[in-house]
Amino acid sequence: MNRRLMVVEPDPSSRALLDRVLTAAGYTVEDFESSLHARLVLDDDAFDLAVVDELAGGGMPLDEVRFLRAAYPRLPLVVMGTLLTAPVLLDLLRLGVSEALPKPFTPSELRDAVGRALVRSSPRRDDALDYAAALASARRDLAQGRPEA
């Protein structure tokens, strides 16, 4: 079975390197500067996993991770970065990220992290996560006075 991975990395040369490593490992890879560029593909449930840089998206660290976790709770995430301090790792744990990969890392460390995250992603949790995300979205819309949403 060919697994489809999304790579979200702001640096073009790093994206190209990640693409080469993961493609050589047998994955089908689509890379993006930001997950906003991948919104149409994400909405089609096209990816088995996302590899995301902690600074992707150009905002604050982990903004992209928080967006992906809120909007696509079933998508397993491997977060990589140079700023993975203890408080950041704690935030990633609370967000339910599958793996955290400090930069710099070797190609084998990347392949191993992706493999572990794919093994851990359990389809049994999918319905519960979707329900929780829909409920949170409905509560947010009601609190903002938009019951029609």
Side-chain angles (χ1 to χ4, degrees):
M1 179 177 171
N2 194 3
R3 301 289 195 124
R4 289 191 66 199
L5 307 182
M6 176 176 86
V7 171
V8 182
E9 166 64 55
D11 178 55
S13 60
S14 294
R15 271 197 317 270
L17 179 62
L18 293 166
D19 186 282
R20 276 194 301 271
V21 169
L22 294 170
T23 300
Y27 300 110
T28 300
V29 178
E30 290 188 50
D31 52 88
F32 302 92
E33 181 177 335
S34 162
S35 61
L36 294 176
H37 294 103
R39 181 60 80 69
L40 291 176
V41 184
L42 279 165
D43 287 342
D44 288 339
D45 220 9
F47 297 108
D48 297 300
L49 180 132
V51 178
V52 183
D53 185 85
E54 67 186 340
L55 298 175
M60 296 294 293
L62 301 184
D63 277 353
E64 200 82 352
V65 175
R66 285 184 182 91
F67 164 75
L68 286 169
R69 183 50 64 226
Y72 306 97
R74 293 175 22 183
L75 183 66
L77 300 178
V78 173
V79 177
M80 57 189 173
T82 56
L83 305 174
L84 298 181
T85 61
V88 171
L89 289 171
L90 190 56
D91 282 346
L92 292 175
L93 184 62
R94 288 181 183 132
L95 288 168
V97 168
S98 301
E99 287 281 327
L101 190 60
K103 287 182 178 180
F105 50 81
T106 65
S108 65
E109 289 172 329
L110 174 62
R111 288 188 301 267
D112 291 347
V114 167
R116 283 190 305 269
L118 286 170
V119 166
R120 275 193 231 127
S121 62
S122 170
R124 293 177 290 196
R125 294 181 37 199
D126 292 352
D127 291 338
L129 290 173
D130 281 344
Y131 178 77
L135 190 59
S137 178
R139 284 182 178 154
R140 195 171 35 253
D141 289 337
L142 287 172
Q144 294 173 353
R146 301 180 322 176
E148 71 283 351

